[in-house]
Amino acid sequence: MLTAAQVLAQNNFGDTRSGGLAGPMGLFLILILGTATVLLIRNMNARLRRLPDRFPQQGPSVDAHRADSAVVDPTDGTPAQDSSSDAPKGRQQRRNG
């Protein structure tokens, strides 16, 4: 039976022919991802430089007073009724005492 120390001591890091490409393939993927990141950052910076300092207004500005007047009262001025009842809902614990 293998002990934990024997399992951890096994070398499974590419000393055979089938696993020997793990290191170079990992390096290749890291270099590709790094290159893609650099190119994306350069492209983003170029696009940001082409943006204008200020954008033109997209339409008439909405006044705060006009926005409040457009809101309709959903209760239509009627007082709200309390929908809670005196009956307990669900299980409640009783206090002994």
Side-chain angles (χ1 to χ4, degrees):
M1 186 167 161
L2 294 175
T3 63
Q6 289 174 338
V7 171
L8 292 175
Q10 289 178 355
N11 184 6
N12 293 326
F13 297 108
D15 56 350
T16 62
R17 182 76 177 138
S18 63
L21 294 178
M25 184 59 76
L27 177 64
F28 175 71
L29 288 175
I30 289 173
L31 291 176
I32 291 294
L33 289 173
T35 304
T37 303
V38 168
L39 292 175
L40 285 172
I41 289 172
R42 289 182 61 191
N43 186 16
M44 250 188 294
N45 283 336
R47 286 178 178 268
L48 286 174
R49 280 190 211 109
R50 283 186 270 163
L51 287 175
D53 289 338
R54 292 184 167 258
F55 289 102
Q57 289 290 354
Q58 295 292 328
S61 63
V62 178
D63 219 359
H65 299 292
R66 288 175 41 204
D68 289 340
S69 65
V71 175
V72 179
D73 185 14
T75 61
D76 295 329
T78 58
Q81 296 179 359
D82 188 13
S83 62
S84 64
S85 65
D86 293 336
K89 295 179 183 173
R91 294 182 64 188
Q92 292 184 351
Q93 294 179 352
R94 292 186 180 189
R95 291 185 183 178
N96 292 334

